[in-house]
Amino acid sequence: MKKCINEMKLSFSAVSENEAFSRACVSSFVALLDPYISELAELKTAVSEAVTNCIVHAYRGQPGGVVWIHMRLYSDRRVYIKIRDKGCGIADIDRAMQPLFTTAPEEERAGLGFAVMESFTDQLRVRSSRQRGTTVVMEKTLSEKEKDGYSDLQDTAAGGRKLRAGTSLC
Amino acid sequence: MSVELKLDGDKLTAYLTGDIDHHTAAGMRAEIDRALRQNSIKILTLDFSGVTFMDSSGIGLVMGRQKLACELGGRCRVADPPAYISKVMKISGIGRLCEIVDTRAPVRTGSHRAGGEEQ
Ligand SMILES: Nc1ncnc2c1ncn2[C@@H]1O[C@H](COP(=O)(O)OP(=O)(O)OP(=O)(O)O)[C@@H](O)[C@H]1O
Ligand SMILES: [Mg+2]
């Protein structure tokens, strides 16, 4: 088992202003592992989906809701992110996770949040109980650092080059 | 505001900038829809070149504008999404609903030819 080298916990009001705030927090914490820009963008997007779901669905705009984020960084470059609410819960998780399924089409929700979380992380687990809340756990292992940093061509996001995300990009 | 609108005859271009999430999408939607309803628009272009972040709220924004533009007798297209946003668009399959164009492609002849912008 690889060692946990860093950990953080965060809780904040379930208001939409905090969507950007939570992404900024997560990206500056992950920046400690010096991720590639594309990996950081994927993590930020996945976190934004989970946090937005808490704000939009779990508490349905009711005041007083809280969102919790718990993150761990491991020595093998694995990032663990748990996002939790104490909202209404999900009645049928399998159905909720199907692409394009949404309970809020009139609010222009696309029903793609879980699909995005799934494709931008290595592992996604969802637990939920009605009236008690929902917990989403995502894990992603960041690619190894290279000595020159420019040899891998897999990252088209950076024009065929992998670019390290400097802290300034958070 | 995070959206700038340019009207050219029956073409409307919305230049979106900054992050598109649930919080910011509502304001963008309101501005674009007002212009769509006030003018007779054949082509609505959502220019994504200035967008720094987008989650599925952006997909909802595109889907909704495509729907409204259609209802009003026009259509919607997406222009120049950066790479990290293209990934989200790809997952959503939005490309089947609405054309995604690259206006920065090298071949660009004279601008503003009447109705001649499409390839
Ligand atoms: N934290 C949560 N609490 C309660 N219900 C949730 C939660 N997260 C998701 N759901 C339910 O699961 C459905 C699917 O979620 P998903 O994020 O995939 O799509 P969406 O939020 O509806 O649309 P989009 O994310 O594309 O804007 C939601 O419509 C909602 O009913
Ligand atoms: Mg969602």
Side-chain angles (χ1 to χ4, degrees), chain B residues 22-99:
Chain B
H22 158 250
H23 182 70
T24 61
M28 294 180 173
R29 173 172 65 203
E31 289 232 349
I32 298 166
D33 286 3
R34 181 148 23 96
L36 261 183
R37 290 182 193 282
Q38 278 170 359
N39 303 278
S40 172
I41 302 300
K42 278 273 171 288
I43 300 176
L44 166 67
T45 303
L46 302 174
D47 188 304
F48 273 77
S49 58
V51 176
T52 46
F53 171 86
M54 182 186 97
D55 62 18
S56 63
S57 307
I59 300 300
L61 183 73
V62 175
M63 282 166 52
R65 305 300 64 69
Q66 158 72 12
K67 189 159 169 265
L68 181 63
C70 263
E71 280 168 16
L72 299 172
R75 63 190 175 86
C76 171
R77 49 179 218 171
V78 165
D80 304 330
Y84 44 88
I85 285 166
S86 293
K87 274 195 215 167
V88 184
M89 295 211 174
K90 211 166 174 187
I91 294 166
S92 73
I94 191 88
R96 270 171 282 157
L97 200 71
C98 146
E99 188 190 6

Coordinates of all heavy atoms in Angstrom, one line a residue, chain B residues 22-99:
Chain B
H22 N -22.2 26.0 -13.6 CA -23.6 26.2 -13.3 C -23.9 27.6 -12.8 O -24.9 28.2 -13.2 CB -24.0 25.2 -12.2 CG -25.2 25.5 -11.4 ND1 -25.1 25.9 -10.0 CD2 -26.5 25.6 -11.7 CE1 -26.3 26.2 -9.6 NE2 -27.2 26.0 -10.5
H23 N -22.9 28.2 -12.1 CA -23.0 29.6 -11.6 C -23.1 30.6 -12.7 O -23.9 31.5 -12.7 CB -21.9 29.9 -10.6 CG -22.0 31.2 -10.0 ND1 -23.0 31.6 -9.1 CD2 -21.3 32.3 -10.2 CE1 -22.9 32.8 -8.8 NE2 -21.8 33.3 -9.4
T24 N -22.1 30.5 -13.7 CA -22.0 31.5 -14.7 C -22.9 31.3 -16.0 O -23.2 32.2 -16.7 CB -20.6 31.6 -15.3 OG1 -20.2 30.3 -15.8 CG2 -19.6 31.9 -14.1
A25 N -23.3 30.0 -16.2 CA -24.1 29.7 -17.4 C -25.4 30.4 -17.4 O -25.9 30.8 -18.5 CB -24.3 28.2 -17.5
A26 N -26.1 30.7 -16.3 CA -27.4 31.3 -16.2 C -27.3 32.7 -16.9 O -28.2 33.1 -17.7 CB -27.9 31.4 -14.8
G27 N -26.3 33.5 -16.5 CA -26.2 34.8 -17.0 C -25.9 34.8 -18.5 O -26.5 35.7 -19.3
M28 N -25.1 33.9 -19.0 CA -24.8 33.8 -20.4 C -26.0 33.4 -21.2 O -26.3 34.0 -22.2 CB -23.7 32.7 -20.6 CG -22.4 33.0 -20.0 SD -21.2 31.7 -20.4 CE -19.7 32.4 -19.7
R29 N -26.8 32.5 -20.6 CA -28.0 32.0 -21.3 C -29.0 33.2 -21.5 O -29.5 33.4 -22.5 CB -28.6 31.0 -20.4 CG -30.0 30.5 -20.9 CD -30.5 29.3 -20.1 NE -30.6 29.6 -18.6 CZ -30.6 28.7 -17.7 NH1 -30.4 27.5 -17.9 NH2 -30.8 29.1 -16.4
A30 N -29.1 34.0 -20.4 CA -30.1 35.1 -20.5 C -29.7 36.1 -21.6 O -30.6 36.6 -22.3 CB -30.2 35.8 -19.1
E31 N -28.4 36.5 -21.6 CA -28.0 37.5 -22.6 C -28.2 37.0 -24.0 O -28.6 37.7 -24.9 CB -26.5 37.8 -22.4 CG -26.3 38.5 -21.1 CD -25.4 39.8 -21.4 OE1 -24.9 39.9 -22.5 OE2 -25.3 40.6 -20.5
I32 N -27.8 35.7 -24.3 CA -27.9 35.2 -25.6 C -29.3 35.1 -26.0 O -29.7 35.4 -27.1 CB -27.2 33.8 -25.7 CG1 -25.7 33.9 -25.4 CG2 -27.3 33.2 -27.1 CD1 -25.0 32.6 -25.1
D33 N -30.2 34.6 -25.1 CA -31.6 34.4 -25.5 C -32.3 35.7 -25.8 O -33.1 35.7 -26.7 CB -32.3 33.6 -24.4 CG -31.9 32.1 -24.3 OD1 -31.0 31.7 -25.2 OD2 -32.4 31.4 -23.5
R34 N -31.9 36.7 -25.0 CA -32.5 38.0 -25.3 C -32.2 38.5 -26.7 O -33.1 38.8 -27.5 CB -32.0 39.0 -24.3 CG -32.6 40.4 -24.5 CD -32.7 41.2 -23.2 NE -31.8 40.8 -22.1 CZ -30.7 41.3 -21.8 NH1 -30.2 42.4 -22.5 NH2 -29.9 40.9 -20.8
A35 N -31.0 38.3 -27.1 CA -30.6 38.8 -28.5 C -31.2 37.8 -29.6 O -31.6 38.3 -30.6 CB -29.0 38.7 -28.6
L36 N -31.3 36.6 -29.2 CA -31.9 35.6 -30.2 C -33.4 36.0 -30.4 O -33.9 35.9 -31.6 CB -31.9 34.2 -29.6 CG -30.8 33.2 -30.0 CD1 -31.0 31.9 -29.4 CD2 -30.8 33.1 -31.5
R37 N -34.1 36.3 -29.4 CA -35.5 36.6 -29.5 C -35.8 38.0 -30.1 O -36.8 38.2 -30.8 CB -36.2 36.6 -28.1 CG -36.3 35.2 -27.5 CD -37.0 35.2 -26.2 NE -36.8 33.9 -25.5 CZ -37.5 32.8 -25.7 NH1 -38.4 32.8 -26.7 NH2 -37.3 31.7 -25.0
Q38 N -34.8 38.9 -29.9 CA -35.0 40.3 -30.5 C -34.7 40.4 -31.9 O -35.1 41.4 -32.6 CB -34.2 41.3 -29.7 CG -34.8 41.7 -28.4 CD -33.8 42.5 -27.5 OE1 -32.7 42.7 -27.9 NE2 -34.3 42.9 -26.3
N39 N -33.9 39.5 -32.5 CA -33.5 39.5 -33.9 C -33.9 38.3 -34.6 O -34.2 37.2 -33.9 CB -32.0 39.7 -34.0 CG -31.5 40.9 -33.2 OD1 -31.6 42.0 -33.7 ND2 -31.1 40.7 -32.0
S40 N -34.0 38.3 -35.9 CA -34.3 37.1 -36.6 C -33.0 36.5 -37.0 O -32.3 36.9 -38.0 CB -35.1 37.5 -37.9 OG -35.3 36.4 -38.7
I41 N -32.6 35.4 -36.3 CA -31.3 34.9 -36.5 C -31.3 33.5 -37.2 O -32.0 32.6 -36.9 CB -30.6 34.6 -35.1 CG1 -30.5 36.0 -34.3 CG2 -29.2 34.0 -35.2 CD1 -29.7 37.0 -35.0
K42 N -30.5 33.4 -38.3 CA -30.4 32.2 -39.0 C -29.3 31.3 -38.4 O -29.4 30.1 -38.3 CB -30.1 32.5 -40.5 CG -31.3 32.8 -41.3 CD -32.0 31.5 -41.8 CE -33.3 31.7 -42.5 NZ -34.4 32.0 -41.5
I43 N -28.1 32.0 -38.1 CA -27.0 31.2 -37.5 C -26.5 31.9 -36.3 O -26.1 33.0 -36.3 CB -25.8 31.1 -38.5 CG1 -26.3 30.4 -39.8 CG2 -24.7 30.4 -37.9 CD1 -25.2 30.4 -40.9
L44 N -26.6 31.1 -35.2 CA -26.1 31.6 -33.9 C -24.7 30.8 -33.7 O -24.7 29.6 -33.8 CB -27.0 31.2 -32.8 CG -26.4 31.3 -31.4 CD1 -26.1 32.7 -31.0 CD2 -27.3 30.7 -30.3
T45 N -23.6 31.6 -33.6 CA -22.3 31.0 -33.4 C -21.9 31.2 -31.9 O -21.9 32.4 -31.5 CB -21.3 31.5 -34.3 OG1 -21.7 31.4 -35.7 CG2 -19.9 30.9 -34.1
L46 N -21.7 30.1 -31.2 CA -21.1 30.3 -29.8 C -19.6 30.1 -29.9 O -19.1 29.0 -30.2 CB -21.7 29.2 -28.9 CG -23.3 29.2 -28.8 CD1 -23.7 27.9 -28.0 CD2 -23.8 30.4 -28.2
D47 N -18.9 31.2 -29.8 CA -17.5 31.2 -29.9 C -16.8 30.8 -28.6 O -16.9 31.6 -27.6 CB -17.0 32.6 -30.4 CG -15.5 32.6 -30.7 OD1 -14.7 32.2 -29.8 OD2 -15.1 32.9 -31.9
F48 N -16.2 29.7 -28.5 CA -15.6 29.2 -27.3 C -14.1 29.5 -27.1 O -13.5 29.0 -26.2 CB -15.8 27.6 -27.2 CG -17.1 27.2 -26.6 CD1 -18.3 27.3 -27.3 CD2 -17.2 26.8 -25.3 CE1 -19.5 27.0 -26.8 CE2 -18.5 26.4 -24.7 CZ -19.6 26.5 -25.5
S49 N -13.5 30.2 -28.0 CA -12.1 30.4 -28.0 C -11.6 31.1 -26.7 O -10.4 30.9 -26.3 CB -11.6 31.2 -29.2 OG -12.2 32.4 -29.3
G50 N -12.4 31.8 -26.1 CA -12.0 32.5 -24.8 C -12.5 31.8 -23.6 O -12.4 32.4 -22.5
V51 N -12.9 30.6 -23.7 CA -13.4 29.9 -22.5 C -12.3 29.1 -21.8 O -11.5 28.4 -22.4 CB -14.5 28.9 -22.9 CG1 -15.0 28.1 -21.7 CG2 -15.7 29.6 -23.5
T52 N -12.1 29.4 -20.5 CA -11.0 28.8 -19.7 C -11.3 27.5 -19.0 O -10.5 26.8 -18.6 CB -10.5 29.9 -18.7 OG1 -11.7 30.4 -18.0 CG2 -9.8 31.0 -19.4
F53 N -12.6 27.3 -18.8 CA -13.0 26.0 -18.1 C -14.5 25.8 -18.5 O -15.3 26.7 -18.7 CB -12.9 26.2 -16.6 CG -13.6 25.1 -15.9 CD1 -12.8 23.9 -15.6 CD2 -14.9 25.1 -15.5 CE1 -13.4 22.8 -14.9 CE2 -15.5 24.1 -14.8 CZ -14.8 22.9 -14.5
M54 N -14.8 24.5 -18.6 CA -16.3 24.2 -18.9 C -16.6 22.8 -18.3 O -15.8 21.9 -18.5 CB -16.5 24.2 -20.4 CG -18.0 24.0 -20.7 SD -18.3 23.8 -22.5 CE -18.2 22.1 -22.7
D55 N -17.7 22.7 -17.6 CA -18.2 21.3 -17.2 C -19.5 21.1 -18.0 O -19.8 21.8 -19.0 CB -18.3 21.2 -15.7 CG -19.3 22.2 -15.1 OD1 -20.2 22.7 -15.9 OD2 -19.2 22.4 -13.9
S56 N -20.2 20.1 -17.6 CA -21.4 19.7 -18.3 C -22.5 20.9 -18.4 O -23.4 20.8 -19.2 CB -22.1 18.5 -17.8 OG -22.5 18.7 -16.4
S57 N -22.3 21.9 -17.5 CA -23.2 23.1 -17.6 C -23.1 23.7 -19.0 O -24.0 24.3 -19.5 CB -22.9 24.1 -16.5 OG -22.9 23.5 -15.3
G58 N -21.9 23.7 -19.5 CA -21.6 24.2 -20.9 C -22.3 23.4 -22.0 O -22.8 24.0 -23.0
I59 N -22.4 22.1 -21.7 CA -23.1 21.3 -22.7 C -24.6 21.6 -22.7 O -25.3 21.8 -23.7 CB -22.9 19.8 -22.4 CG1 -21.5 19.4 -22.4 CG2 -23.8 18.9 -23.3 CD1 -20.8 19.6 -23.8
G60 N -25.2 21.8 -21.4 CA -26.5 22.2 -21.3 C -26.8 23.6 -22.0 O -27.8 23.8 -22.6
L61 N -25.8 24.5 -21.9 CA -25.9 25.8 -22.5 C -26.0 25.7 -24.0 O -26.9 26.3 -24.6 CB -24.7 26.6 -22.1 CG -24.7 28.1 -22.6 CD1 -25.7 28.9 -21.8 CD2 -23.3 28.7 -22.5
V62 N -25.2 24.8 -24.6 CA -25.2 24.6 -26.0 C -26.5 24.0 -26.5 O -27.2 24.4 -27.4 CB -24.0 23.8 -26.5 CG1 -24.1 23.5 -28.0 CG2 -22.7 24.5 -26.2
M63 N -26.9 22.9 -25.8 CA -28.1 22.2 -26.1 C -29.3 23.1 -26.1 O -30.2 23.1 -27.0 CB -28.3 21.0 -25.2 CG -27.5 19.8 -25.5 SD -27.4 18.5 -24.2 CE -29.1 18.2 -23.9
G64 N -29.4 23.9 -25.0 CA -30.5 24.8 -24.9 C -30.6 25.9 -26.0 O -31.6 26.2 -26.5
R65 N -29.4 26.4 -26.3 CA -29.4 27.5 -27.4 C -29.7 26.9 -28.7 O -30.3 27.5 -29.6 CB -28.0 28.2 -27.5 CG -27.5 28.8 -26.2 CD -28.3 29.9 -25.5 NE -29.6 29.5 -25.0 CZ -29.9 28.8 -24.0 NH1 -29.0 28.2 -23.3 NH2 -31.2 28.5 -23.6
Q66 N -29.2 25.6 -29.0 CA -29.5 24.9 -30.2 C -31.1 24.8 -30.4 O -31.6 25.0 -31.4 CB -28.8 23.6 -30.2 CG -29.4 22.5 -31.2 CD -29.1 22.8 -32.6 OE1 -28.4 23.7 -33.0 NE2 -29.8 22.1 -33.5
K67 N -31.7 24.4 -29.2 CA -33.1 24.2 -29.2 C -33.9 25.5 -29.5 O -34.7 25.5 -30.4 CB -33.5 23.6 -27.8 CG -34.9 23.1 -27.7 CD -35.1 22.2 -26.5 CE -36.5 21.9 -26.3 NZ -37.1 22.8 -25.2
L68 N -33.5 26.5 -28.8 CA -34.2 27.8 -29.0 C -33.9 28.4 -30.4 O -34.9 28.8 -31.1 CB -33.7 28.8 -28.0 CG -34.4 30.2 -28.1 CD1 -35.9 30.1 -27.8 CD2 -33.8 31.2 -27.1
A69 N -32.7 28.3 -30.9 CA -32.4 28.8 -32.3 C -33.2 28.1 -33.3 O -33.8 28.7 -34.2 CB -30.9 28.6 -32.6
C70 N -33.4 26.8 -33.1 CA -34.2 25.9 -34.0 C -35.6 26.4 -34.0 O -36.3 26.6 -35.0 CB -34.1 24.5 -33.6 SG -32.9 23.5 -34.5
E71 N -36.2 26.5 -32.8 CA -37.6 27.0 -32.6 C -37.8 28.3 -33.3 O -38.9 28.6 -33.8 CB -37.9 27.1 -31.1 CG -38.2 25.8 -30.4 CD -38.2 25.9 -28.9 OE1 -38.3 27.1 -28.4 OE2 -38.2 24.9 -28.2
L72 N -36.8 29.1 -33.3 CA -36.9 30.5 -33.9 C -36.5 30.5 -35.4 O -36.3 31.5 -36.0 CB -36.1 31.5 -33.2 CG -36.5 31.7 -31.7 CD1 -35.5 32.5 -30.9 CD2 -37.9 32.3 -31.6
G73 N -36.3 29.3 -36.0 CA -36.1 29.1 -37.4 C -34.6 29.2 -37.8 O -34.3 29.4 -39.0
G74 N -33.7 29.1 -36.9 CA -32.3 29.2 -37.2 C -31.6 27.9 -36.7 O -32.2 26.9 -36.5
R75 N -30.3 28.0 -36.6 CA -29.5 26.9 -36.0 C -28.3 27.5 -35.3 O -28.0 28.7 -35.4 CB -29.1 25.9 -37.1 CG -28.1 26.5 -38.1 CD -27.9 25.5 -39.3 NE -27.1 26.1 -40.3 CZ -25.8 26.1 -40.3 NH1 -25.1 25.5 -39.3 NH2 -25.1 26.7 -41.3
C76 N -27.7 26.6 -34.6 CA -26.6 27.0 -33.7 C -25.3 26.2 -34.0 O -25.4 25.0 -34.4 CB -27.1 26.7 -32.2 SG -25.8 26.9 -31.0
R77 N -24.2 26.9 -33.9 CA -22.9 26.1 -34.1 C -21.9 26.6 -33.0 O -22.1 27.7 -32.5 CB -22.4 26.3 -35.5 CG -22.4 27.7 -36.0 CD -21.8 27.8 -37.4 NE -20.9 29.0 -37.4 CZ -20.1 29.4 -38.4 NH1 -20.0 28.6 -39.5 NH2 -19.4 30.5 -38.4
V78 N -21.0 25.7 -32.8 CA -19.9 26.0 -31.8 C -18.6 26.3 -32.5 O -18.3 25.5 -33.5 CB -19.8 24.8 -30.9 CG1 -18.5 24.8 -30.1 CG2 -21.0 24.6 -30.0
A79 N -17.9 27.3 -32.2 CA -16.7 27.6 -32.8 C -15.5 27.6 -31.9 O -15.6 28.1 -30.7 CB -16.7 29.0 -33.5
D80 N -14.4 27.0 -32.3 CA -13.1 27.1 -31.7 C -13.0 26.7 -30.3 O -12.3 27.4 -29.5 CB -12.5 28.5 -31.9 CG -12.5 28.9 -33.4 OD1 -12.3 28.0 -34.2 OD2 -12.6 30.1 -33.7
P81 N -13.5 25.5 -29.8 CA -13.3 25.2 -28.4 C -11.8 24.8 -28.2 O -11.3 24.0 -29.0 CB -14.2 24.0 -28.2 CG -14.5 23.4 -29.6 CD -14.3 24.6 -30.6
P82 N -11.2 25.2 -27.1 CA -9.9 24.8 -26.8 C -9.9 23.3 -26.5 O -10.9 22.7 -26.2 CB -9.5 25.5 -25.5 CG -10.5 26.7 -25.4 CD -11.7 26.2 -26.1
A83 N -8.7 22.7 -26.5 CA -8.6 21.2 -26.4 C -9.3 20.6 -25.2 O -10.0 19.6 -25.3 CB -7.1 20.8 -26.4
Y84 N -9.1 21.2 -24.0 CA -9.6 20.7 -22.8 C -11.1 20.7 -22.8 O -11.8 20.0 -22.1 CB -9.0 21.3 -21.6 CG -8.9 22.8 -21.6 CD1 -10.0 23.6 -21.2 CD2 -7.7 23.4 -22.1 CE1 -9.8 25.0 -21.3 CE2 -7.6 24.8 -22.2 CZ -8.7 25.6 -21.8 OH -8.6 26.9 -21.9
I85 N -11.7 21.6 -23.6 CA -13.2 21.7 -23.7 C -13.7 20.8 -24.8 O -14.8 20.2 -24.6 CB -13.5 23.2 -24.0 CG1 -13.4 24.0 -22.7 CG2 -15.0 23.3 -24.5 CD1 -13.4 25.4 -22.8
S86 N -12.9 20.6 -25.8 CA -13.3 19.6 -26.9 C -13.5 18.2 -26.3 O -14.4 17.5 -26.7 CB -12.2 19.5 -27.9 OG -12.1 20.7 -28.6
K87 N -12.7 17.9 -25.2 CA -12.9 16.6 -24.6 C -14.2 16.4 -24.0 O -14.9 15.4 -24.1 CB -11.8 16.4 -23.5 CG -10.5 15.9 -23.9 CD -9.7 15.4 -22.7 CE -8.2 15.7 -22.9 NZ -7.5 15.6 -21.7
V88 N -14.7 17.5 -23.3 CA -16.0 17.4 -22.7 C -17.1 17.3 -23.8 O -18.1 16.6 -23.7 CB -16.3 18.7 -21.8 CG1 -17.6 18.6 -21.1 CG2 -15.2 18.8 -20.8
M89 N -16.9 18.1 -24.9 CA -17.9 18.1 -26.0 C -17.9 16.7 -26.6 O -19.0 16.2 -27.0 CB -17.5 19.1 -27.0 CG -17.6 20.5 -26.4 SD -18.0 21.7 -27.7 CE -18.2 23.2 -26.7
K90 N -16.8 16.0 -26.7 CA -16.7 14.7 -27.3 C -17.5 13.7 -26.5 O -18.2 12.9 -27.0 CB -15.2 14.3 -27.4 CG -14.9 13.4 -28.5 CD -13.4 13.3 -28.7 CE -13.0 12.3 -29.8 NZ -11.6 12.1 -29.9
I91 N -17.3 13.7 -25.1 CA -18.0 12.8 -24.3 C -19.5 13.0 -24.4 O -20.2 12.0 -24.4 CB -17.6 13.1 -22.8 CG1 -16.1 12.8 -22.5 CG2 -18.5 12.3 -21.8 CD1 -15.6 13.3 -21.2
S92 N -19.9 14.2 -24.6 CA -21.4 14.5 -24.7 C -22.0 14.1 -26.0 O -23.2 14.0 -26.1 CB -21.6 16.0 -24.4 OG -21.2 16.7 -25.5
G93 N -21.2 14.0 -27.0 CA -21.7 13.8 -28.4 C -22.5 14.9 -28.9 O -23.3 14.8 -29.8
I94 N -22.2 16.1 -28.4 CA -22.9 17.3 -28.8 C -22.7 17.6 -30.3 O -23.5 18.2 -31.0 CB -22.5 18.6 -28.0 CG1 -23.4 19.8 -28.2 CG2 -21.1 19.0 -28.3 CD1 -24.6 19.8 -27.3
G95 N -21.6 17.1 -30.9 CA -21.3 17.3 -32.3 C -22.3 16.7 -33.2 O -22.4 17.1 -34.4
R96 N -23.1 15.8 -32.7 CA -24.2 15.2 -33.5 C -25.4 16.1 -33.6 O -26.3 16.0 -34.5 CB -24.6 13.8 -33.0 CG -23.8 12.7 -33.6 CD -24.1 11.4 -32.8 NE -23.4 11.4 -31.6 CZ -23.8 10.6 -30.5 NH1 -24.8 9.9 -30.6 NH2 -23.1 10.6 -29.4
L97 N -25.5 17.0 -32.7 CA -26.7 17.9 -32.5 C -26.4 19.2 -33.2 O -27.3 19.9 -33.7 CB -26.9 18.1 -31.0 CG -28.3 18.6 -30.6 CD1 -29.3 17.4 -30.8 CD2 -28.3 19.0 -29.2
C98 N -25.1 19.6 -33.2 CA -24.8 21.0 -33.6 C -23.3 21.0 -34.1 O -22.5 20.3 -33.6 CB -25.0 21.8 -32.3 SG -24.0 23.1 -31.9
E99 N -23.2 21.7 -35.2 CA -21.9 21.7 -35.9 C -20.8 22.4 -35.1 O -21.0 23.4 -34.4 CB -22.1 22.5 -37.2 CG -20.9 22.5 -38.2 CD -21.1 23.5 -39.3 OE1 -22.1 24.3 -39.3 OE2 -20.3 23.5 -40.2

